Amino acid sequence: MTYVIAQPCVDVKDKACIEECPVDCIYEGSRSLYIHPDECVDCGACEPVCPVEAIFYEDDVPEEWKDYYKANVEFFDELGSPGGASKLGLIESDHPFVAALPADINPAEH
């Protein structure tokens, strides 16, 4: 089990969750943040600090955002498990599902 970052983070990337994560498992893509499923220790520290309420426990992701679970997991298919996001910094890509979203997916958040 792991936490998942969903649609409200797309093009917002507040990063408060990154500061709270004790294991450095939240990676930054071009348009969204992603939680590494193998590095996350399920502590839940990230969830309450997200100002746009984009972080959900895997089993609690709202139905309309279920595709974000797959996007969070598959984002790491090529990246593997680097063992910490801070040493990588911004990753100039996103999961294809996130990359294909319209630019105004979260217009109220800009």
Side-chain angles (χ1 to χ4, degrees), residues 18 23-27 39 81-91:
I18 291 174
V23 294
D24 193 27
C25 71
I26 303 174
Y27 292 72
E39 296 175 5
S81 188
S86 60
K87 61 184 169 189
L88 294 184
L90 174 66
I91 299 163

Side-chain angles (χ1 to χ4, degrees), residues 7 10-11 31 68 96-107 110:
Q7 180 178 310
V10 176
D11 296 327
R31 296 185 65 193
Y68 286 86
F97 172 76
V98 172
L101 292 170
D104 62 348
I105 193 77
N106 290 315
H110 296 277

Side-chain angles (χ1 to χ4, degrees), residues 12-78:
V12 176
K13 299 191 312 183
D14 173 79
K15 301 182 192 174
C17 57
I18 291 174
E19 295 171 18
E20 286 297 317
C21 181
V23 294
D24 193 27
C25 71
I26 303 174
Y27 292 72
E28 181 181 3
S30 295
R31 296 185 65 193
S32 187
L33 301 175
Y34 301 86
I35 297 175
H36 197 298
D38 295 332
E39 296 175 5
C40 177
V41 295
D42 300 334
C43 71
C46 58
E47 187 179 19
V49 299
C50 180
V52 295
E53 299 179 3
I55 302 174
F56 301 90
Y57 193 65
E58 176 183 332
D59 292 341
D60 299 331
V61 177
E63 191 60 41
E64 69 268 25
W65 295 332
K66 289 291 185 187
D67 290 337
Y68 286 86
Y69 170 77
K70 182 177 177 183
N72 270 256
V73 171
E74 291 179 355
F75 179 75
F76 298 98
D77 283 354
E78 287 184 33

